[in-house]
Amino acid sequence: SLLQSSASSGSGNVILGNLVSTFSSLALVTSLIGFVYGLLDGWTDVFRLPSEGPSYEKWKAPLFGLVFLPPLALSLTDPDIFYKALDYGGAFGVSTLFLVLPPIMVWRQRYGDEEQPLMTTPLVPFGKIPLGSMWKAAGTLIVEQGAEKLGIFDWFQHQFLS
């Protein structure tokens, strides 16, 4: 977006702006293709349909309806739902990926199998206490993000502080 705006401002980087636009469009199209194929495969598994042949051709239109109609209905009811999903995905997905999983992986590596000794010295000293503390801090941050997204802090502020 920053590259596109600088290219459109007449700074001579029109080619770069066009490349960024093309790349963005291709990324969107390939994501859509993967989404459609994944959901089609999922629905054929749910309904125990073959993935090719005359029986598949018979059910092809309803399957595509199951793929495209629910997102269409959601986007018609709330046009900003995509941005809300990105906000929630970013808040909870990134928190889980970078705050919850590393301490769990280290815990599992150190204490999951007592018979296998560690190959290197631990980078986080003092054993289980810092790992548990990291996991607790991550859980607290995720609960705080959830409370903020649900409006609990605003409700408390309105009820008790105003």
Side-chain angles (χ1 to χ4, degrees), residues 71-86:
L72 177 65
L74 283 174
S75 67
L76 289 175
T77 59
D78 184 6
D80 293 330
I81 198 163
F82 179 73
Y83 298 115
K84 292 176 186 175
L86 281 177

Side-chain angles (χ1 to χ4, degrees), residues 26-51:
L26 288 174
L28 183 67
V29 168
T30 55
S31 175
L32 179 66
I33 290 169
F35 173 79
V36 170
Y37 276 129
L39 283 179
L40 278 175
D41 190 44
W43 284 118
T44 55
D45 288 348
V46 166
F47 294 120
R48 301 181 197 277
L49 296 171
S51 354

Side-chain angles (χ1 to χ4, degrees), residues 84 87-88 90-92 95 139-157:
K84 292 176 186 175
D87 191 28
Y88 283 102
F92 299 108
S95 296
T140 303
L141 286 172
I142 290 172
V143 167
E144 179 188 2
Q145 288 175 354
E148 182 182 343
K149 299 283 183 214
L150 293 172
I152 294 173
F153 292 141
D154 293 334
W155 182 81
F156 268 104
Q157 184 177 9

Side-chain angles (χ1 to χ4, degrees), residues 13-38:
N13 293 329
V14 176
I15 294 173
L16 181 61
N18 289 336
L19 286 174
V20 169
S21 294
T22 303
F23 179 79
S24 300
S25 298
L26 288 174
L28 183 67
V29 168
T30 55
S31 175
L32 179 66
I33 290 169
F35 173 79
V36 170
Y37 276 129

Side-chain angles (χ1 to χ4, degrees), residues 125-141:
F126 308 120
K128 296 179 181 180
I129 293 173
L131 289 177
S133 299
M134 289 168 59
W135 194 81
K136 182 192 175 297
T140 303
L141 286 172

Side-chain angles (χ1 to χ4, degrees), residues 62-146:
L63 287 172
F64 273 99
L66 284 172
V67 168
F68 287 112
L69 290 178
L72 177 65
L74 283 174
S75 67
L76 289 175
T77 59
D78 184 6
D80 293 330
I81 198 163
F82 179 73
Y83 298 115
K84 292 176 186 175
L86 281 177
D87 191 28
Y88 283 102
F92 299 108
V94 171
S95 296
T96 303
L97 182 64
F98 294 116
L99 296 175
V100 174
L101 288 180
I104 291 174
M105 292 187 320
V106 171
W107 188 287
R108 174 94 175 164
Q109 179 68 33
R110 284 188 191 175
Y111 309 112
D113 190 7
E114 298 294 334
E115 297 174 12
Q116 191 175 28
L118 294 174
M119 301 302 278
T120 61
T121 59
L123 293 176
V124 179
F126 308 120
K128 296 179 181 180
I129 293 173
L131 289 177
S133 299
M134 289 168 59
W135 194 81
K136 182 192 175 297
T140 303
L141 286 172
I142 290 172
V143 167
E144 179 188 2
Q145 288 175 354

